[in-house]
Amino acid sequence: MISFKNKLKLALIGQSLFGQEVYNHLRKEGHRVVGVFTVPDKDGKADPLALAAEKDGTPVFKFPRWRVKGKTIKEVAEAYRSVGAELNVLPFCTQFIPMDVIDGPKHGSIIYHPSILPRHRGASAINWTLIMGDKKAGLSVFWADDGLDTGPILLQRSCEVQPNDTVDTLYNRFLFPEGIKAMVEAVQLIADGKAPRIPQPEEGATYEGIQKKENAEISWDQSAEVLHNWIRGHDKVPGAWTEINGQMVTFYGSSLLNSSVPPGEPLEIKGAKKPGLVTKNGLVLYGNDGKALMVRNLQFEDGKMIPASQYFSAGETSVVELTAEEVKVAETIKLIWAGILSNVPVIEDSTDFFKSGARSMDVVRLVEEIRQKCGGLQLQNEDVYLATRFEDFIQKVVRKLRGEDQEAELVVDYVSKEVNEMTVKMPYQCFINGEFTDADDGKTYDTINPTDGSTICKVSYASLVDVDKAVAAAKEAFENGEWGRMNARERGRLMYRLADLLEEHQEELATIEALDSGAVYTLALKTHIGMSVQTFRYFAGWCDKIQGSTIPINQARPNRNLTFTKKEPLGVCAIIIPWNYPLMMLAWKSAACLAAGNTLVLKPAQVTPLTALKFAELSVKAGFPKGVINIIPGSGGIAGQRLSEHPDIRKLGFTGSTLIGKQIMKSCAVSNLKKVSLELGGKSPLIIFNDCELDKAVRMGMGAVFFNKGENCIAAGRLFVEESIHDEFVTRVVEEIKKMKIGDPLDRSTDHGPQNHKAHLEKLLQYCEAGVKEGATLVYGGRQVQRPGFFMEPTVFTDVEDHMYLAKEESFGPIMVISKFQNGDIDGVLQRANNTEYGLASGVFTRDINKAMYVSEKLEAGTVFINTYNKTDVAAPFGGVKQSGFGKDLGEEALNEYLKTKTVTLEY
């Protein structure tokens, strides 16, 4: 129930959607609007403020003017006085209101102005904020007086001006929503008798009038930033222009170009010292400082607007003949135009949408009505601005229906194989800026099937040039592309779509994973691919839930302060992943990275690149814009090192060995102090007490070691088994190993597939040899399986003492290392378990919950499993301590690895 204590009777004087929203919010807060004074209907269409008021039964007065020859019109004054307002509220008003009306109510009049007064008085304040390159924009609510925007200040709000803000983005992001709140707050302050009247200082005061077209010509002998400010400040009215080939051409959609300039065709511009460059992204222009900017759209003297990238092909588009179905669509759209342009008797081919009286809100209505009535056809607002005549608009719609308006279809040169009762199609080239392409120097390497040692295909071997291209594409996509402008929910929609595509292709992806990494197909289907799908769905849901907080701080009286934090993406992120879970490790890092709004360059492990490249293909099908995702197969020494050193990368996420992690951290620090998260080696202890459920401990202990052939970062690197159950535990483990089937990972009955690659198999055999030499007891295995491929027997060592190599170093393979501990020696076994430089995971098996909790508190690891193992979930943070690294994958904490926190404090 609304409280009507300290509420006022208001007269709203003005117009526009802004005025309508102020009206609605004031009524919602319990104030009584006794009259609305607005402009007459235009072309038979009422102003939005009038529509809202008439719908509510509020008295509405539509006067073309308030005075004649300097005197208030008697009938107008009488109508105004009849409503008995206590306060005039002017949210947006283009009419001149007489002072006897301004001063008439008990509380006078308040006005909204879109600048931080006294700067930028006048009707074009937002434009001049951008033209002058102000770093801050804002709004003022002031008491009206007989000057032009000179009255005392009631309240003000400010915001940062972003480098590529336009009049529209600044208005929609801040001035519109915050202006509504400010007007409502101001009215309540007046009602409560707390409204200040702060005189405007004359220092810093400026007045700028409305720009005329003839005054908006671009003067070229200025820096790129000044040129950019001039163009965006005049967008969309009156439009900054220059002369090209003897014709006035107006520029729209300017942005600073901070990345490398793409190739293009030169365009001579009158007065410019350096020709422009027509590229696939737009028209590149140069300032006198050598820096560049880009404009997206051009408008000619006849009113026709085109994408700047089409300047040299603008006249080449032929008129398409419509099919019978397309004629029906055109007739439906004609009816929609007629409904919006109700003042136009007949919609003809030459009817211009905007010259017939349409406004920006009508663009939204047109796009939405077409989507509803034309089979879900999705147009963009810009499509309307680029084709304002009905005939041109229908041509654009038809091309959109036929798919001719879309970007060129992704070209993929697959390697295809008939395997696992399906045709598997595998991309093998670098994926940069939305395209598959050979390495710059043409180099390739073989990726090997570990099941038989055969070559699957040749894969592009990324060079330093390719890395730089990928980073430049990611930077352009983040700073100037569609991704950077996309709202969070749309970003989430793309990620959900990508998760769906991964699921649709799960059998093919699992097959590729089995071929390229040796993963058992059934495990790949459930874990490698299944958890990848879950990860993208989980982080897709986070996209529109990333938020900062408000913070109470000490107030410096008499002023008040508001402090809040914002979570913002970092920019271009590099991700380097290992070979044990190729797709799942990609998903763990890239899903959080993308959900946070970053772009990425990902280097898969050299020996397992194929699912990452298939993922790239699916990302295009999901609708990810060019440059957001880039995949560069190749070596860590070349591509990986360049990523860690690159000055345009702001974050690097790495999973791999501790040795390489240290080198990456050093390079990231020396280059540009980029943010780093590292998931490194482990020697995870698993403690099995004699009061455990032994069957479960044996089963899960084996899984802790042999899961995914032991190629598992959290694998139990050392088992501590209490003395009284040690021998029985070992006997049962060996019995179960003998039941395991070693073989083709695509065989559904296989338990244990090949090791990932030959060099790794050789390292594991050497590891076993070192164990035997040091005196550990080889109970089972320790040998290569005598068959083609890189297969190793599951292995068990006992009598492993703390000083031995096997006790200290990670095998990353199917080798169970067992040490015995004395009955009841909890603290002793904890000391031994923690006597390692690693701290990724750990585990304990016991029926005693108090013992379990005590052990979990004492174990120095990022994860502790109790009576289970390998139980990871997309919502639970994952990461290590000590030399196992820092930073988290998965869960909400993973998002923070790819975000920065900005603190904003304002005084009011």
Side-chain angles (χ1 to χ4, degrees):
M1 182 176 177
I2 296 171
S3 171
F4 286 88
K5 183 181 178 182
N6 295 334
K7 302 301 176 181
L8 298 175
K9 291 190 292 182
L10 308 174
L12 253 72
I13 304 175
Q15 67 240 48
S16 79
L17 184 62
F18 181 73
Q20 180 191 69
E21 287 298 308
V22 171
Y23 165 84
N24 288 333
H25 281 73
L26 287 171
R27 292 185 77 250
K28 185 178 179 181
E29 289 299 314
H31 297 285
R32 183 184 171 196
V33 180
V34 292
V36 166
F37 299 83
T38 186
V39 293
D41 296 355
K42 183 179 180 182
D43 298 323
K45 298 176 68 175
D47 182 83
L49 173 56
L51 288 173
E54 287 169 347
K55 182 179 178 182
D56 294 332
T58 301
V60 176
F61 305 87
K62 302 177 182 180
F63 300 127
R65 63 185 65 84
W66 289 71
R67 62 180 194 169
V68 175
K69 295 181 179 180
K71 293 184 178 181
T72 305
I73 299 173
K74 182 180 179 181
E75 294 80 4
V76 174
E78 289 175 352
Y80 168 75
R81 285 193 294 269
S82 69
V83 301
E86 297 172 316
L87 173 70
N88 292 331
V89 178
L90 285 73
F92 175 73
C93 182
T94 58
Q95 296 176 313
F96 189 93
I97 310 302
M99 284 307 300
D100 54 340
V101 173
I102 291 292
D103 295 334
K106 172 184 176 182
H107 296 291
S109 302
I110 58 170
I111 303 177
Y112 167 85
H113 187 78
S115 81
I116 307 173
L117 292 172
R119 187 164 175 79
H120 304 311
R121 294 167 176 165
S124 298
I126 311 175
N127 304 76
W128 284 101
T129 297
L130 296 175
I131 292 170
M132 300 304 291
D134 292 1
K135 300 304 180 185
K136 280 196 171 185
L139 59 92
S140 304
V141 178
F142 68 96
W143 299 94
D145 65 4
D146 58 358
L148 186 58
D149 303 332
T150 58
I153 300 297
L154 196 160
L155 61 80
Q156 292 183 317
R157 300 283 183 270
S158 66
C159 70
E160 299 292 328
V161 178
Q162 301 300 320
N164 291 317
D165 262 333
T166 64
V167 172
D168 284 348
T169 62
L170 198 53
Y171 184 72
N172 292 332
R173 184 182 82 244
F174 184 82
L175 297 173
F176 181 87
E178 294 304 318
I180 295 165
K181 296 176 187 175
M183 289 298 282
V184 174
E185 181 181 346
V187 170
Q188 192 59 54
L189 285 171
I190 295 169
D192 293 339
K194 298 178 181 179
R197 292 176 179 262
I198 304 168
Q200 290 191 36
E202 280 308 306
E203 182 179 353
T206 64
Y207 172 81
E208 299 93 4
I210 298 174
Q211 276 287 78
K212 296 181 179 179
K213 189 73 174 182
E214 58 265 28
N215 298 327
E217 183 177 4
I218 300 168
S219 176
W220 289 103
D221 191 19
Q222 301 180 89
S223 70
E225 184 176 358
V226 172
L227 293 175
H228 166 63
N229 289 336
W230 184 262
I231 295 170
R232 65 173 176 158
H234 288 85
D235 189 341
K236 297 203 170 30
V237 178
W241 62 276
T242 191
E243 188 177 315
I244 302 176
N245 293 327
Q247 183 177 185
M248 178 191 288
V249 178
T250 304
F251 293 165
Y252 298 105
S254 173
S255 59
L256 290 169
L257 190 62
N258 296 315
S259 56
S260 56
V261 176
E265 189 173 347
L267 177 64
E268 293 294 333
I269 299 173
K270 183 179 179 181
K273 293 183 179 179
K274 186 175 181 179
L277 201 64
V278 177
T279 74
K280 63 180 181 180
N281 299 326
L283 173 61
V284 175
L285 306 168
Y286 296 92
N288 61 10
D289 55 355
K291 295 181 179 180
L293 61 145
M294 181 180 289
V295 294
R296 292 197 309 272
N297 299 314
L298 307 175
Q299 187 174 40
F300 299 103
E301 291 179 357
D302 62 0
K304 182 180 181 181
M305 186 179 285
I306 64 165
S309 59
Q310 298 177 11
Y311 179 83
F312 289 113
S313 58
E316 297 176 6
T317 305
S318 58
V319 175
V320 296
E321 294 294 328
L322 274 59
T323 65
E325 282 299 314
E326 290 165 351
V327 168
K328 291 180 181 178
V329 172
E331 289 299 324
T332 299
I333 293 174
K334 181 175 281 190
L335 292 174
I336 296 171
W337 274 52
I340 296 172
L341 305 176
S342 56
N343 55 301
V344 179
V346 179
I347 303 297
E348 299 177 343
D349 286 347
S350 59
T351 301
D352 187 285
F353 193 66
F354 294 104
K355 291 180 180 177
S356 298
R359 292 169 290 192
S360 58
M361 282 303 298
D362 295 318
V363 173
V364 177
R365 175 182 167 184
L366 176 61
V367 169
E368 286 301 305
E369 280 202 57
I370 289 175
R371 183 179 62 81
Q372 291 175 350
K373 298 177 180 178
C374 297
L377 175 61
Q378 186 62 63
L379 300 176
Q380 304 299 322
N381 291 0
E382 197 168 76
D383 292 329
V384 185
Y385 290 110
L386 291 174
T388 61
R389 294 171 68 252
F390 183 74
E391 181 181 33
D392 298 334
F393 186 75
I394 292 300
Q395 291 285 308
K396 177 169 277 293
V397 167
V398 170
R399 289 192 173 90
K400 184 86 69 172
L401 285 169
R402 296 179 182 181
E404 297 173 9
D405 233 23
Q406 299 175 359
E407 292 185 356
E409 187 176 344
L410 178 67
V411 177
V412 188
D413 190 7
Y414 297 108
V415 169
S416 297
K417 288 189 178 295
E418 296 294 329
V419 62
N420 202 21
E421 300 181 353
M422 68 179 75
T423 301
V424 176
K425 300 169 75 174
M426 298 172 285
Y428 61 88
Q429 298 166 295
C430 300
F431 182 73
I432 300 172
N433 201 27
E435 298 177 355
F436 284 104
T437 179
D438 291 334
D440 182 72
D441 55 12
K443 287 186 178 180
T444 62
Y445 69 95
D446 293 341
T447 186
I448 305 299
N449 183 345
T451 302
D452 58 12
S454 64
T455 297
I456 301 171
C457 64
K458 290 187 177 296
V459 177
S460 294
Y461 188 83
S463 67
L464 295 178
V465 173
D466 297 308
V467 176
D468 289 347
K469 286 180 180 177
V471 174
K475 186 177 182 185
E476 173 67 19
F478 180 78
E479 294 180 350
N480 301 313
E482 180 185 351
W483 183 254
R485 299 188 299 271
M486 188 179 293
N487 67 59
R489 288 182 184 172
E490 177 65 13
R491 194 162 68 238
R493 188 190 67 79
L494 290 182
M495 291 185 65
Y496 277 122
R497 174 62 179 145
L498 181 53
D500 291 344
L501 286 168
L502 291 171
E503 190 169 55
E504 287 174 25
H505 290 260
Q506 60 183 333
E507 289 87 0
E508 183 180 20
L509 287 163
T511 302
I512 297 172
E513 206 84 314
L515 290 175
D516 205 23
S517 75
V520 172
Y521 175 77
T522 51
L523 175 66
L525 201 60
K526 177 181 182 296
T527 301
H528 291 233
I529 314 306
M531 197 171 188
S532 300
V533 173
Q534 292 174 29
T535 303
F536 268 93
R537 286 193 175 134
Y538 174 79
F539 283 108
W542 267 110
C543 287
D544 62 353
K545 299 170 187 69
I546 298 170
Q547 51 192 301
S549 58
T550 56
I551 303 169
I553 65 171
N554 288 337
Q555 308 289 342
R557 297 176 179 173
N559 299 314
R560 290 186 294 169
N561 299 279
L562 171 65
T563 296
F564 61 91
T565 59
K566 297 171 62 182
K567 298 288 188 179
E568 298 178 341
L570 298 169
V572 180
C573 297
I575 294 173
I576 302 175
I577 56 173
W579 42 258
N580 58 328
Y581 295 103
L583 187 66
M584 193 173 81
M585 290 295 99
L586 176 153
W588 279 25
K589 294 189 185 300
S590 64
C593 174
L594 293 168
N598 301 287
T599 57
L600 65 88
V601 179
L602 183 140
K603 193 198 86 64
Q606 184 172 346
V607 292
T608 54
L610 296 181
T611 45
L613 294 170
K614 188 69 179 180
F615 168 84
E617 177 194 350
L618 297 179
S619 74
V620 176
K621 291 183 178 180
F624 278 79
K626 288 184 176 182
V628 174
I629 295 170
N630 304 272
I631 310 290
I632 48 169
S635 74
I638 296 175
Q641 183 63 27
R642 177 58 178 154
L643 288 172
S644 66
E645 295 171 343
H646 203 292
D648 288 336
I649 289 174
R650 294 299 169 193
K651 160 70 195 280
L652 190 146
F654 171 75
T655 296
S657 73
T658 297
L659 181 65
I660 299 301
K662 289 179 177 180
Q663 178 61 42
I664 283 175
M665 190 172 176
K666 180 179 178 181
S667 298
C668 289
V670 171
S671 56
N672 62 341
L673 275 178
K674 56 177 65 69
K675 190 175 182 179
V676 182
S677 57
L678 304 172
E679 196 253 280
L680 307 176
K683 189 66 177 173
S684 302
L686 175 57
I687 304 173
I688 301 176
F689 289 100
N690 60 15
D691 61 351
C692 71
E693 186 181 332
L694 191 57
D695 287 342
K696 183 177 183 181
V698 169
R699 185 176 71 254
M700 290 199 164
M702 290 182 65
V705 176
F706 301 128
F707 187 80
N708 199 47
K709 310 162 293 174
E711 295 167 355
N712 186 20
C713 51
I714 58 171
R718 191 177 181 191
L719 276 66
F720 295 92
V721 182
E722 199 159 8
E723 188 173 18
S724 60
I725 62 167
H726 174 273
D727 293 349
E728 184 180 359
F729 179 86
V730 173
T731 300
R732 290 199 189 186
V733 165
V734 172
E735 288 174 354
E736 293 301 317
I737 288 176
K738 290 177 180 178
K739 300 175 185 177
M740 291 173 66
K741 178 179 178 180
I742 302 173
D744 183 355
L746 291 174
D747 185 333
R748 303 310 193 263
S749 63
T750 294
D751 298 303
H752 190 77
Q755 304 310 134
N756 188 276
H757 52 281
K758 185 177 181 181
H760 183 54
L761 172 63
E762 292 171 349
K763 175 188 170 187
L764 292 174
L765 296 172
Q766 291 170 5
Y767 188 90
C768 292
E769 289 175 9
V772 171
K773 285 179 181 178
E774 285 193 313
T777 301
L778 177 61
V779 177
Y780 189 88
R783 299 183 300 271
Q784 181 176 357
V785 179
Q786 295 306 305
R787 57 170 291 163
F790 312 136
F791 292 86
M792 182 177 177
E793 294 175 337
T795 299
V796 179
F797 278 97
T798 61
D799 302 317
V800 178
E801 298 179 13
D802 294 353
H803 69 274
M804 291 180 178
Y805 181 77
L806 267 62
K808 295 179 178 179
E809 296 301 323
E810 178 182 28
S811 71
F812 211 66
I815 302 172
M816 183 178 283
V817 176
I818 303 177
S819 296
K820 190 185 300 182
F821 71 94
Q822 292 181 357
N823 292 333
D825 188 10
I826 299 175
D827 290 326
V829 74
L830 279 170
Q831 185 177 5
R832 295 172 70 190
N834 288 330
N835 187 24
T836 173
E837 278 300 302
Y838 301 108
L840 188 56
S842 59
V844 55
F845 279 84
T846 176
R847 285 190 174 97
D848 186 337
I849 187 63
N850 292 321
K851 184 192 297 183
M853 295 307 296
Y854 176 78
V855 170
S856 71
E857 289 175 7
K858 297 297 183 181
L859 283 169
E860 298 169 359
T863 296
V864 180
F865 298 108
I866 299 176
N867 294 328
T868 187
Y869 209 87
N870 288 324
K871 188 70 174 180
T872 55
D873 187 87
V874 294
F878 178 93
V881 297
K882 300 194 285 191
Q883 291 199 44
S884 287
F886 51 83
K888 296 293 184 183
D889 290 327
L890 304 180
E892 181 181 359
E893 287 193 39
L895 286 169
N896 293 325
E897 302 294 332
Y898 296 93
L899 292 164
K900 59 187 177 184
T901 301
K902 178 182 287 183
T903 301
V904 181
T905 298
L906 63 90
E907 184 177 281
Y908 60 98

